[in-house]
Amino acid sequence: MKHTPGWGLLKGLFETARNFVGSYYQPGRLTTIEYPDERLPVQENFRNFPMLIYDGADPERGLRCVGCKICEKECPPQCIYIVLERDRSGKVQKRPRLFDIDVSVCMSCQICVEVCPFDAIKMNTEYELSTGDRFGALLLRKAELAKPNEYYRRLHPTEAAEVDARLAAAAQAKAAAQAKEQAKLTAKPAKPAWSTQP
Amino acid sequence: MSDLRPAMETLERIRTRLEAAVAGAELEVVANGAVAAQGSLRVDAAHAVAVARFLRDDAQLQLDYCSNVTGVDWLDRVVRTTVRTRRVIDGLERELEQTTEHTVPGYLEAVYHLYSVALRHGPLVLRQRTADRADGARVASLTPVWRSAEFQEREVYDLFGVVFEGHPDLRRILMWDEFRDHPMRKDYVEPDDYEYEPTPHDEVLAKARRHYAGAGGDRA
Amino acid sequence: MRAQAGDLEMRGAFAAEPHGGGGRSAGSDAGWGAGAGHEWVRPAEPVGRLEGEWLEVAMGPHHPSTHGVFRMNVALEGERIRKLKPVFGYLHRNHEKIAEGTTYLGSMPYTDRLDYFCSLTNNWAYALAVETLAGLGVPERAEYLRVITGELTRLLNHACLVGFLLHDMGTMGTPLMYAFREREKILDLFEALTGARMMCNYLRFGGCRVDVPAGWLAGAQRVVDEFPRFLDEFENLLTTNEIVLARSQGVGVLSGALAVNAGITGPMLRASGVNYDLRKVDRYGIYDRFNFRVPLGEHGDVYDRYMVRILEMRESVKILAQALKDLPPGPILDPKSKLRGFRPRAGEAYGRIEAPKGELGFYLISDGSVRPYRYRVRPPSLINLTVLEELCLGHTVADAVIVLGSVDIVLGEVDR
């Protein structure tokens, strides 16, 4: 192909002119938005930092977390810190007294969510977290992490529907097992198990 | 999909040919327990360069491309061997267990992954072992054979402290020149330049307490 | 510092320079600041005649053309480069040490941060190495999803690289912004699929983490269909541009033989005319099912490296179209794989893929515990810099900038 000097430059200038003019009316070329006034819609799968889910109205009682510390162990940057509740006699309870996530360390990898067997920790989509307080405000405590299940349903409707279905099925199975156990106990009230054997 | 690739000779065959070609080379085929079972060939440092030249220039192998060079640190380890013996004691035959312990001294390894661009086969894993983990941590540099080893051997020197004899430009690459230790060694202790963070885990808290004890205050 | 033109052995002088964060020169007897601690000291002897003397300049680490924090120590004769030494380590985070202290799965999000442009191919290389080590299979749908995300990653990496390269040549951002506009569309796809634009953490050993959401495939198809139009636009703008031709042709020539010996991989190797693409050689994943060609360069100069990347994007579009068409239904995770308590048998494995920048390999040694005993990343960016000196010798400083741009490095991967 014979190359006319200057033709390549002209072609390039034509291309930039096309983009320049096009950016006024072609939506595909309008790529920037005026951020604080306008916001892009958050995608459903978007994740930022973890949050704790509670059922019902009370964030203390309804918290799904049982303090099994799996997430604390599996968290790659070790940003989760859990201390379990103890009752008056010092017996360990199945719920956390402290649940801190240091979001200045957290890298939003979602591994805590994947390993949680109780669907208690999920990813929040809140992203405007900048603050002037370097240590205090970037350490999220249990009270700030706890979010109602409705909030989770609003953020991730598809995923939340799956989780709800799974939890409902598990609760049903548990109730059925309990009823069966109850029925067994009522059928054979006081007989110890070994006495039925020949 | 490796079956579609032209197969390389087996390690045993390569070893036999190498022993014929490079006089005096001590070679050993190292087995690999993983599912992939990529075996490797260990070579002594004195003959490593000659072996590498052969591997690169041999018409059937043509391993012209050294993909990966790295180090591995194997610490001293205690091997327990239990020997069961049957002995007759007081007229009864009894089984006795005798456990002997001996320490396998640690060493460092330099591992090379070789491929052939011309014949499109590989990998051949070549290993060199150092005598110990201190002054004897020396192997032969293969940079004269494969240029691609230059920066990677420097990295192994930097992070593991393996000295590559014959390397044209052996100095630290990732750590700064004044750095003293070799951080990728398994017994490396990280320095106590500690910054207190608001979520102390148990061991972090203990470390913070230790750190700030000298400064006269328990900030944690 | 100055060195005589005849003094060819400059390595010692380079070695004595301050390096890394410390900034102290280690007892340099033949360099700047002898016995002066960390302070900058001018050479005691005033610079006299400039002819026949070399001037040593540190380009970087804080220089916009170095693509991050990378330093090139160059010795100049006039404006010609006579010596060049790359200096690394400013972004070293000891990725390998961290990975040896965490579980196999725990390293997956860290691999995102190696080459932060291509987190999905990093994930793929690591997952492939672990699968080789533990003998895990990957379901077919997951293989297709890996190819789709991997090739989209290649598109965005090459588009941005070409943008950066042209930016280095002085186009002041126009092609870069066009490339970023396209990249944004692909990143939106990644966000919809994986939840994050760049730190995707998407693959798992034996498959992928989540299946595609509704409407995602249509969106991906739209991006793929529109991409050739962008490439045409790009080529109209640049490929025959006289300034681009004058700046890039014949600059930074790398011969095929040296490229192979120095372990150069990826588009840089193929620009030198060596036909070695791991998608064809290893046929990892399901790459043997797709019909695509491997573009090769002829001269091995900067222009060929640019052109090979443009052509590779066109081939990637082809692969994507086929993969999106054939994507089968089915599971996305091998039932044998598990998240917690994953303990591969003791042994070792090396897995490698054709990442956009070259051969990205992971070398793993397992001792049967939950943590890898040895974890090694074979970084293409670092090894492609081995020949930087050869490429730049005799060229001007401005050419060194575009040669570095054409190598395609990301410092997160160079220093790890």
Side-chain angles (χ1 to χ4, degrees):
Chain A
M1 191 181 77
K2 199 171 168 295
H3 193 71
T4 323
W7 179 240
L9 272 175
L10 278 176
K11 252 196 334 193
L13 286 172
F14 174 70
E15 208 55 62
T16 46
R18 211 157 64 91
N19 273 276
F20 176 69
V21 177
S23 69
Y24 280 94
Y25 59 91
Q26 280 178 336
R29 294 188 195 278
L30 286 166
T31 45
T32 48
I33 57 159
E34 307 281 332
Y35 161 60
D37 306 324
E38 260 182 279
R39 272 147 224 259
L40 285 172
V42 173
Q43 307 226 36
E44 197 191 317
N45 269 352
F46 173 63
R47 61 182 141 99
N48 202 16
F49 290 124
M51 59 181 174
L52 294 173
I53 307 291
Y54 64 88
D55 295 308
D58 184 6
E60 267 306 312
R61 274 161 194 280
L63 208 63
R64 285 183 189 165
C65 177
V66 298
C68 64
K69 297 201 178 191
I70 290 176
C71 53
E72 185 181 341
K73 222 175 283 160
E74 294 287 325
C75 174
Q78 299 282 297
C79 71
I80 303 177
Y81 182 58
I82 300 171
V83 175
L84 286 178
E85 186 81 88
R86 281 168 191 273
D87 67 0
R88 237 174 243 167
S89 59
K91 208 170 144 236
V92 177
Q93 303 291 299
K94 275 192 171 180
R95 58 174 202 273
R97 180 166 64 85
L98 283 183
F99 196 112
D100 297 346
I101 293 182
D102 189 349
V103 293
S104 56
V105 175
C106 175
M107 55 181 187
S108 312
C109 66
Q110 213 182 9
I111 283 177
C112 52
V113 176
E114 284 168 64
V115 297
C116 181
F118 302 98
D119 286 305
I121 190 165
K122 294 288 166 195
M123 297 309 272
N124 203 340
T125 60
E126 201 183 323
Y127 56 90
E128 284 159 327
L129 296 162
S130 55
T131 163
D133 178 10
R134 187 177 147 203
F135 288 122
L138 290 177
L139 176 65
L140 299 185
R141 308 269 177 191
K142 191 171 71 173
E144 292 143 334
L145 289 168
K147 294 277 189 289
N149 197 18
E150 288 70 44
Y151 177 79
Y152 173 49
R153 282 194 202 127
R154 206 162 55 240
L155 293 186
H156 307 289
T158 324
E159 197 187 296
E162 277 170 32
V163 171
D164 285 348
R166 192 161 63 227
L167 288 178
Q172 215 170 12
K174 201 177 164 191
Q178 262 174 359
K180 212 171 161 188
E181 196 68 23
Q182 200 65 40
K184 223 190 248 172
L185 283 176
T186 45
K188 299 169 189 167
K191 256 187 195 169
W194 48 266
S195 69
T196 57
Q197 311 232 330
Chain B
M1 300 300 150
S2 53
D3 52 326
L4 293 167
R5 230 187 305 170
M8 203 172 60
E9 291 169 287
T10 60
L11 284 173
E12 289 295 340
R13 247 190 73 82
I14 294 173
R15 192 180 74 141
T16 325
R17 288 211 295 132
L18 268 170
E19 273 166 349
V22 184
E26 294 167 31
L27 296 154
E28 181 198 353
V29 174
V30 184
N32 178 0
V35 180
Q38 300 164 337
S40 46
L41 198 63
R42 190 170 70 78
V43 61
D44 62 317
H47 298 91
V49 176
V51 166
R53 282 236 163 76
F54 177 83
L55 292 175
R56 187 190 63 182
D57 298 333
D58 181 61
Q60 283 174 55
L61 288 169
Q62 291 192 39
L63 296 163
D64 47 5
Y65 164 45
C66 173
S67 163
N68 179 38
V69 182
T70 189
V72 187
D73 182 12
W74 298 99
L75 291 172
D76 297 353
R77 64 177 200 277
V78 178
V79 177
R80 280 207 181 90
T81 40
T82 310
V83 186
R84 288 185 175 215
T85 46
R86 282 180 173 277
R87 253 192 229 164
V88 181
I89 301 169
D90 305 334
L92 281 168
E93 199 185 40
R94 284 197 190 165
E95 197 171 84
L96 283 183
E97 276 190 13
Q98 261 193 327
T99 309
T100 50
E101 286 186 4
H102 67 280
T103 315
V104 178
Y107 51 85
L108 293 151
E109 265 184 333
V111 184
Y112 298 75
H113 284 80
L114 311 175
Y115 286 88
S116 169
V117 169
L119 302 177
R120 295 191 165 199
H121 62 210
L124 180 93
V125 188
L126 197 66
R127 313 178 94 91
Q128 290 188 69
R129 225 168 251 183
T130 65
D132 55 41
R133 299 176 68 253
D135 300 333
R138 297 174 170 275
V139 294
S141 168
L142 300 187
T143 304
V145 187
W146 294 289
R147 251 313 279 294
S148 58
E150 184 187 342
F151 286 171
Q152 303 188 71
E153 283 180 349
R154 266 177 74 184
E155 195 184 309
V156 175
Y157 163 70
D158 186 358
L159 302 182
F160 287 91
V162 179
V163 176
F164 288 88
E165 279 164 353
H167 191 286
D169 184 22
L170 195 67
R171 57 201 163 93
R172 288 192 178 270
I173 183 167
L174 293 175
M175 309 304 284
W176 54 101
D177 288 341
E178 295 77 17
F179 192 81
R180 286 285 160 246
D181 212 339
H182 302 290
M184 282 304 286
R185 287 198 179 193
K186 288 281 173 187
D187 51 0
Y188 172 74
V189 183
E190 61 192 80
D192 187 22
D193 50 347
Y194 192 75
E195 190 185 355
Y196 171 62
E197 299 227 346
T199 48
H201 292 234
D202 305 342
E203 69 270 24
V204 176
L205 189 67
K207 197 172 167 190
R209 289 225 166 96
R210 273 202 309 280
H211 182 85
Y212 291 115
D218 186 4
R219 274 172 58 187
Chain C
M1 69 166 284
R2 294 171 305 117
Q4 297 304 312
D7 175 20
L8 281 170
E9 192 46 67
M10 279 188 60
R11 290 190 193 273
F14 271 79
E17 278 174 22
H19 162 61
R24 286 182 298 274
S25 65
S28 54
D29 45 359
W32 37 25
H38 59 280
E39 278 152 359
W40 168 271
V41 177
R42 288 186 178 284
E45 189 189 333
V47 176
R49 225 157 31 95
L50 272 176
E51 305 155 21
E53 286 175 342
W54 288 356
L55 183 71
E56 192 173 305
V57 179
M59 279 181 76
H62 298 287
H63 190 280
S65 76
T66 56
H67 296 226
V69 275
F70 171 64
R71 195 168 95 204
M72 291 184 274
N73 278 344
V74 287
L76 301 174
E77 187 182 19
E79 216 191 329
R80 300 274 159 198
I81 292 173
R82 294 295 174 222
K83 278 266 164 197
L84 184 147
K85 285 278 166 279
V87 180
F88 310 98
Y90 294 96
L91 201 60
H92 181 49
R93 298 154 294 173
N94 226 339
H95 174 78
E96 295 175 8
K97 190 81 181 173
I98 294 171
E100 285 172 20
T102 185
T103 57
Y104 283 89
L105 175 66
S107 304
M108 187 61 95
Y110 285 111
T111 61
D112 292 339
R113 286 144 178 89
L114 281 174
D115 171 2
Y116 37 78
F117 265 89
C118 317
S119 64
L120 283 159
T121 45
N122 296 346
N123 284 181
W124 194 356
Y126 179 49
L128 190 82
V130 174
E131 282 151 13
T132 320
L133 181 70
L136 288 171
V138 184
E140 203 170 331
R141 186 176 173 85
E143 289 280 21
Y144 272 90
L145 288 176
R146 284 179 180 196
V147 168
I148 291 168
T149 51
E151 291 302 321
L152 282 172
T153 305
R154 197 180 311 278
L155 286 183
L156 80 84
N157 178 71
H158 284 358
C160 290
L161 179 270
V162 172
F164 284 131
L165 172 61
L166 273 295
H167 187 77
D168 291 342
M169 283 187 204
T171 53
M172 300 326 261
T174 307
L176 182 62
M177 285 302 127
Y178 288 4
F180 266 47
R181 187 184 66 203
E182 298 308 307
R183 169 175 180 254
E184 205 58 37
K185 294 175 188 164
I186 297 175
L187 289 184
D188 281 347
L189 285 177
F190 287 171
E191 190 183 337
L193 177 63
T194 70
R197 284 151 38 92
M198 292 170 79
M199 304 297 135
C200 295
N201 184 19
Y202 178 55
L203 300 192
R204 291 289 171 265
F205 313 130
C208 305
R209 183 158 57 76
V210 288
D211 209 338
V212 290
W216 191 87
L217 290 172
Q221 189 69 53
R222 203 157 47 240
V223 168
V224 171
D225 289 344
E226 280 174 11
F227 208 83
R229 202 191 55 134
F230 155 74
L231 285 177
D232 295 340
E233 211 174 276
F234 224 63
E235 286 213 70
N236 275 341
L237 181 62
L238 301 166
T239 301
T240 53
N241 186 307
E242 281 79 4
I243 301 170
V244 172
L245 295 175
R247 284 298 306 280
S248 61
Q249 286 190 337
V251 172
V253 176
L254 173 66
S255 73
L258 177 61
V260 171
N261 192 254
I264 309 297
T265 45
M268 207 174 152
L269 174 71
R270 294 189 286 275
S272 298
V274 180
N275 185 359
Y276 194 69
D277 186 326
L278 297 188
R279 291 175 293 174
K280 291 279 189 196
V281 175
D282 277 9
R283 298 185 182 89
Y284 60 91
I286 48 164
Y287 271 115
D288 49 344
R289 297 188 194 176
F290 301 112
N291 177 23
F292 68 102
R293 292 178 305 165
V294 179
L296 296 178
E298 204 176 318
H299 309 94
D301 56 3
V302 172
Y303 187 77
D304 274 12
R305 274 170 234 147
Y306 156 77
M307 211 57 220
V308 160
R309 288 188 172 103
I310 293 276
L311 293 173
E312 246 178 45
M313 281 193 269
R314 292 195 188 275
E315 297 302 318
S316 284
V317 168
K318 270 196 224 165
I319 298 175
L320 277 166
Q322 294 167 47
L324 286 168
K325 189 163 68 68
D326 298 341
L327 180 71
I332 54 161
L333 199 62
D334 188 29
K336 271 196 293 178
S337 76
K338 53 179 177 178
L339 280 175
R340 295 179 54 219
F342 176 69
R343 285 189 178 80
R345 214 155 78 194
E348 61 173 59
Y350 180 66
R352 55 176 197 164
I353 68 159
E354 181 73 33
K357 291 180 169 59
E359 175 189 323
L360 177 63
F362 280 81
Y363 174 58
L364 299 166
I365 298 181
S366 163
D367 58 354
S369 71
V370 290
R371 301 190 172 104
Y373 185 80
R374 179 80 182 101
Y375 169 103
R376 149 85 179 165
V377 187
R378 188 253 186 224
S381 295
L382 172 71
I383 296 159
N384 285 0
L385 285 176
T386 310
V387 289
L388 189 64
E389 185 174 14
E390 277 87 342
L391 298 187
C392 292
L393 286 188
H395 291 298
T396 60
V397 176
D399 287 338
V401 171
I402 64 164
V403 167
L404 180 69
S406 74
V407 174
D408 190 9
I409 57 167
V410 159
L411 265 294
E413 190 178 71
V414 173
D415 292 342
R416 285 155 293 139

